[in-house]
Amino acid sequence: MNLPILLLLLGLMVVAAVAAVMIRSLLKSAIALAALSIVLAITLFFLGAPLAALFELSVCAGLITVIFISAISLTGNKPKEEEEEKIRERRARFLKLPIFLLIIGVFVSLAWIANGINISGISDPAAPTFQTFKNLFWNMRQVDILGQVIVILAGAFAVVVLFKERDQA
Amino acid sequence: MDNLLLIITGSWIALPLLVILICNLLDKKTGKSWALPAAIVVSIGQMITTGLGLLQLGLTKSGFINFTIFWNVNDFEEIARSAWASAFFSVDTLSLVVMFAIGMVSLISVLTAKKMNPDKALNFTNLLMVLIMGMNGLAMVADLFSLYVFLEITGVASFILIALYKDKKGLEGSFKYLIMSAMASAMILAGIAIMNAVTGGVTFSHISGLFASGSSLHTFHAISLVLLVAGIAIKAGLAPFHGWLPDAYESAPASVSVLLGGIVTKMAGVYAILRLAQDVFINAKGFNYSLLLLATVSIVYGAVAALKQKDFKRILAYSSISQIGYIVLGAVCGSPLGFIGAMLHFFNHATFKSTLFVNSAALESQVKTRNIEEMGGLAKQMPLTGTSSVLALLSTAGIPPLAGFWSKLLIIIAVWQTGHSLIAGIAVFASVFTLAYFLMIQRKVFYGPAEEKFAGVREVKGGLAVSQVMLSVITVVMGIIFPLVLLFFQTRGMI
Amino acid sequence: MNGLGFNTFIYLVIIPALAGIVILFLPKKERLIKSLLVFAATLFNLITAIRLFGLEETWHTKWGGLSNFGIDFALRTDRLSMFILLAVGAMAFLVAFYSFAFLRDKDYGKGFYFYYLITIAFVNGAVLANNLVLMLFFWEGLLVTLFGMLLLKGRHKYPTAVKALTLVGVSDLALMLGVGVTGFAAGTLMMDKITAIPVEGIAVLGFVMMMLGAIGKAGSMPFHSWIPDAADDAPLPFMAILPGALEKLLGIYLLVRICLPGTGLYEFLPHTPVSTVVMAIGALTIIFAVAMALIQKDFKRLLSYHAISQVGYMVLGIGTALPIGIVGGLFHMVNNAIYKSCLFLSAGAVERQTGTTDLKKISGLGAFMPVTMICFLVAALSISGFPPFNGFFSKELVFDAAMESGIIFYIAALLGAFMTAASFLKLGHAAFFGKPQLPEDKKVKEAPAAMLVPMIILAAACILFGVWNSLPLGQLIQPVLGDAMAGHNYAGWPHTPLLVIISIIVLILAIANHFFGVKRTGKGLGAVDHIHYAPGLHFIYNRAEERWFDPYEILMVISKFFAWIAYGIDRAIDWIYNGFFVWVANSVSKGLKEFNTGKQSQYVIWAVSGLLIVIFVFAVLVK
Amino acid sequence: MDGQGFLLVCVAVPLLGSFILPLVGRVSVRLRNILALLFVLTSFMAAIRLLPQAFSGGNPVMAKLVLPAGFTLGFMGDSLAVFMALVSSFVGALIVFYSFGYIEHYENQNEYYMMVVLFLGAMMGLVFSTNLVLLYLFWEISAICCWRLIGFFREKQIILRADKAFLVTVGGAVLMLLGFISIYAQTGTFDLTAMKGADISNLAVILILFGILSKSATLPFHTWLPDAGVAPSPVTSLLHAAVLVKIGVYVFARLFLVNFNLADIWNVAVPVIAGISALVAAGAALVENDLKRIIAYSTVSQLGFIFLGLSCGSPIGIAGGLLYIFMHGLAKGGLFLCAGIVEHATHTKDIRKLGGLFSAMPVTAIAFLFCGFSVMGFPPFGGFFAKYMVIGGAVDAGQPWIALTFALGAILTIIYLMRAFIKVFLGSVSFPGAKEGSWEMVFSVGILGLLSLLAGIFINIPAELVDSIVSVLTGITIGG
């Protein structure tokens, strides 16, 4: 696979990660985290670890997110001023983070390029050969797919039950 | 695969899904008013289809039925053999028995929920359908990772159900459950990951092949098993992993605690143990012994701790811990008889514990309290509740001729036969404690001089009454027809 | 085995019993029919006993399933049992005759006749039985009639009834155990197949228990103390027939059955420890009972103590295991039955005519009731051992045997004789002589003929058996011993002149003592007050009157003491259930409850500890 | 109908019939009462019908349901079982009849009749069952009935005692179940007929003894029985005479005499336990002041005799023990029913407050006395033979000292029963207005008192039955 796509994916990941940390709403933060997992799963798949990609997708994008959503929905909100105070504090602390990450990223990339490492070559030789993503995803792990569907449903209901009505209440 | 089988197997996932779709896509009012009846239909449907499934199973030689979900893959056989494939569901007797219990308890739960306001009813139904799908999936999977996925579905649905009314207590209980459950998830997931790494696969058949061959335990196997055992023990609520359980049971709404106590935590934890003990870690001594130990501790702890509780539901929660111990004991002692006992006890526990939770709901609705110290002599005003609670408690304590006796008997026999006579002794004697706290309930709530202040109390009607009668009948009938059950398992070749 | 044997045997039991049951169902008013029925039944009984006399037969039939356990319905007659049956028949007939008059105006007549006839049936059965268990059946059955009879005079009399039931019950239970052990030691329960079991090992227990049963029925110490109480509380014919006659006959019958040299159940030899023990019981019974009799101030009560003390002579005589002693004991038994019944009957006559037997209220009755007085005098002289009445001869035989077995027993017997004589001198003097004194508004006449006739017959028998003692000895008693009697004949004048002289000296001393006492106090009733109120003795007498030495009271104290211990054990066990278990369960449960605080962090800590447990299990298994 | 049919009728009619009684009771009280009596009598008649075949010496009647894994369920009408069934159903029928008079003024009659009949049904099932699990099943059904019946009056203290009785008996029973399981682990079956003559481990014997002793209220598991005296009198009578405590001794006979070879040590150990029990209970009976508790302790004490007879190991002792079961059933049933009449009339059970009731209730008093004499073992009452044979049996087995201990216990029996009798029926009149009970009650006690006497006079009839049981048990006919 070609480098630009990889870099693009990595970039997306960084963005998602930063968003997850920085976003004010916990719910949106959790969704950002899910996005991060999805990107990571795609990356893993392209790097030749389809199984890992699949599990990442199931666990992190699906389950963990839903659990986060549930957890968030179960906890109460702090008073508005206090919460904003907290967020301001956190923002100040994490403001330097993107810059820091960017610098490290640049350095690592430069080092890779300098050493001429072929990224596409890293793949687990012991891993079974899966013909296609489609086969893997839709045929071999169709149970998980079903699981994902239900998980997402559950997450949706969690939001419905615990958020929507709370606002009404 | 003939059409009937297709319909049967399909209905286990499709029917709840259909209900969700219909109820949510219809206009709001219709959806809300249809929700609970639809849930009843699903539950009864599940009871019927699992019954048919059991008959169908009798026709097969292998003792299980495999089927795919969305579509048939071309190279099914090859995929099925793969160490990574989770392309199909697989049902055997165990699955069908627990699925029948799921249908039954769901029905009871819905009947108990009859009085809910329509908004809640819709949400409740939605989540119940998710829960049913989760538990059905759990009962049918043949792969460790998929097992985990469905465990989580079950978990998530029950968190939300506990907090359905969003009162402080419910939220707190739910949160405790969630935190402990998250710990469990982490451990289980880590365990699965390590297992995958060291055995090179996650399907049951793949791993069991390795364990059955009797090769010595690798350190990483052991680590994986430790994590799995601990994780599942949390889910099951085995002592000392049980902390969340009484709080969650106590704080849940009545109809939800029927579900939780009757089936959900059993599915999440105990079913997993049953499944793993039967199909996966067949000769894994560490798995068996550590769970034997935990089960014994639970039996004693649950029975003793219940003695001093005041809250009806809390007593039931501790009782659950104790009963879970019995089921696990039967599952991991390593004898087919014990396994059948565990399976039957699973079912019986679903029956009698649901009965008791329904009793608790009935009392709560009529007497407006769950504190047993504040009640007394209610057997006169509430004969149905009184009688059904007597039957359920005797069944729990393992007093013949009720259903609970037989399953407990099989478990104890198996435990003794496999050489754990001391544990068998402890387990048997703990049932005296079980009896003790149930007698305490009876004494303080039902069986006693009639009190003035309860003169106006009336017996419950409708759903609660129906479910009490239904469950009592099942408890008694299961006890009486036990010989036939035994014959059934013989024809199944399980004894 | 012939038909006659069976029929007659079994009718001895059945006829009186049936008659009794018929009486029970007769209406209360039919006095004549009842009397006739009793008369017929007892007469039949007597005639049958006479007809059977000399018959030696056994008869047995299976007793349902019991037979397979060695318990047959087996009867037999031999010389001993025929002799006893005859005595029973005669006494029963006479007392029945007497009761017709005595009970005429009593409302408990029906109950008395019922129990009376059943008692006779049971006594006959016990004597006839050849199987030990069958004997025990009839033997213990007497308890029920005893209890019933003691309650006849009113239900407020129950303390005596219960006392009698308990004491005799204890001795009967001892006999039950004895029968069991004997049957085990001998390998059979058929008495005619058991001879001379050596008294060793387990048989010691059997012997002791059988002995306890026998002397308990006879009313020896320590099973005696109900008899004086019964004298107060029971109808008089009861006293005459049961403690006075039948129970002695039965008890001594068994004693002889056990001890008879050669053919007895146990090997019982002279000069052995067992023999000494039995004699000691006899001697103690004589002394203590007669000492109590000495101080009594009531006609019947005084007699009742004699009823006890006389048993002592029999037990002493038989306990020597010498032929002369056994003959003496049996002879004394017959004599005692005769004169003691006569004495009781005369007491009954006095009671019926004056309404009381309290010696403080009556005296000088001789003038009003001469026939009664004469009968009383004959019997009293007889029991005191004046020659030539029958009591003298039997006592001499016992003295002889006691002398041979140990001088201490002889002295005890002599002491008893002295006090017997002294007490009867006092009794006779107080009741029949001296200044006439009567209860108010009573016109005392002689007793009716129906009461006098039995008394006269008995008094006559006293003289007859004294003067012509070879009749009972030669015909009835000595044959019982069979081979052991070879070369001996104790009939006629006593064979040891020295002992006779000593006895007469003792009697003279008793008379002297009497006159001393009368002189001191000035009245017949106070004749023995100097002994009663002697220093030291006074104290003991007082305690005895307060029932300190009553074995029943002692038994009750022991039982109560034991019962409280047992109750303590019982409560302690109950506490374990009610207190301890509950406390442990509650406190453990409470602890666990407090443990569960609802804090999430704590739950996590537990879970981690659980994880450690699991790791530990694995670690152990991996190694 | 053939033998099997009667066997099933004997068990099923009261068991199933009991459940329709509450329904019938809603319609007609009278019909319910009659039906209850009928059900019990049906059992009795069926048992009588089984008698000839059981005692013919041929193969006993069997009804079986073959199940896997040694779970085969079956009923068998051998002589021992039929004997027990006869005794229980007969005394039970009288007690039901008595209840017509006793219970009519109380609440919860429907439940009462249901439980009583179910109780007797469980007893029938227990005596005929040939399967250890089935045995345990009926055992526990009886415990449930016992629990409900003891708590009949629904007062806090009473219920506590009912709970205690339930817990103690179940505690013993579960240990017994463990014993059964250990036998199962050894033989691979629960079917008694399939493992006849097996040697069982001492551990199993101990475990089973826990159950038996707790059910039959023997030291140190006995205290629930006196406490159970708070139940209505017909119920205590049922517990003591007809059903509950007899279950323990029956199972002892069934398992250790009929089915298994008992190690010799138990022929000494059990009599020793029984002896201690007999003495301690007799002592406690002498101290107690509650009429029913006295009689209850008496039961504990008498059970010691039964155990002695059954366990000492000599045929005469076994016969005595069985005879004792019969005689004690009649007599103790009568005593409790008499106590019930007294309680009914005076509303107290304290013998210190009672007195002089003889003139008010002569039939009851005489019945009490008759039954008392039978328990004391006086001829011509039936108890005599039983007592003699038990004591003689102990001697025969070479244990004269144990026999002596029991003789002491028998002395105490006389003392405490007479104490109870005189304090209640004799002495000064305490309740001048007291009247005799209803005719049903008086009739029942009268019959029991009379039978106690007749059973002694016509001892050959019960002895015949007992003898035939013993000859089957020991395989030989002793003596002639």
Side-chain angles (χ1 to χ4, degrees), chain D residues 200 202 205 261-268:
Chain D
I200 55 172
N202 282 342
V205 177
N261 299 326
L262 207 55
D264 289 339
I265 170 97
W266 298 108
N267 289 341
V268 181

Side-chain angles (χ1 to χ4, degrees), chain B residues 35 203 272 318 401 408 489:
Chain B
T203 59
Y318 281 105
K408 238 181 209 179
F489 283 112

Side-chain angles (χ1 to χ4, degrees), chain A residues 7-85:
Chain A
L7 284 176
L8 180 67
L9 286 173
L10 289 174
L12 272 175
M13 274 169 66
V14 172
V15 171
V18 170
V21 177
M22 306 293 288
I23 289 173
R24 186 181 151 221
S25 160
L26 285 176
L27 189 63
K28 285 169 192 158
S29 165
I31 290 166
L33 191 63
L36 165 67
S37 296
I38 292 167
V39 178
L40 179 60
I42 296 168
T43 317
L44 286 172
F45 188 81
F46 281 130
L47 288 175
L51 210 61
L54 193 76
F55 289 168
E56 173 68 25
L57 197 64
S58 298
V59 176
C60 298
L63 291 171
I64 303 282
T65 312
V66 173
I67 288 173
F68 276 160
I69 291 172
S70 318
I72 294 159
S73 58
L74 287 173
T75 50
N77 286 335
K78 286 207 169 82
K80 203 116 192 170
E81 299 82 49
E82 200 181 319
E83 196 179 4
E84 287 194 342
E85 177 67 23

Side-chain angles (χ1 to χ4, degrees), chain B residues 46-84:
Chain B
Q46 173 140 343
M47 285 162 78
I48 294 168
T49 49
T50 44
L52 291 174
L54 274 172
L55 290 179
Q56 195 68 38
L57 202 59
L59 302 176
T60 65
K61 281 211 179 71
S62 55
F64 55 85
I65 301 168
N66 290 343
F67 58 92
T68 52
I69 312 136
F70 297 126
W71 41 79
N72 274 324
V73 281
N74 298 330
D75 42 1
F76 182 80
E77 290 298 314
E78 193 195 328
I79 289 177
R81 274 199 304 277
S82 158
W84 275 285

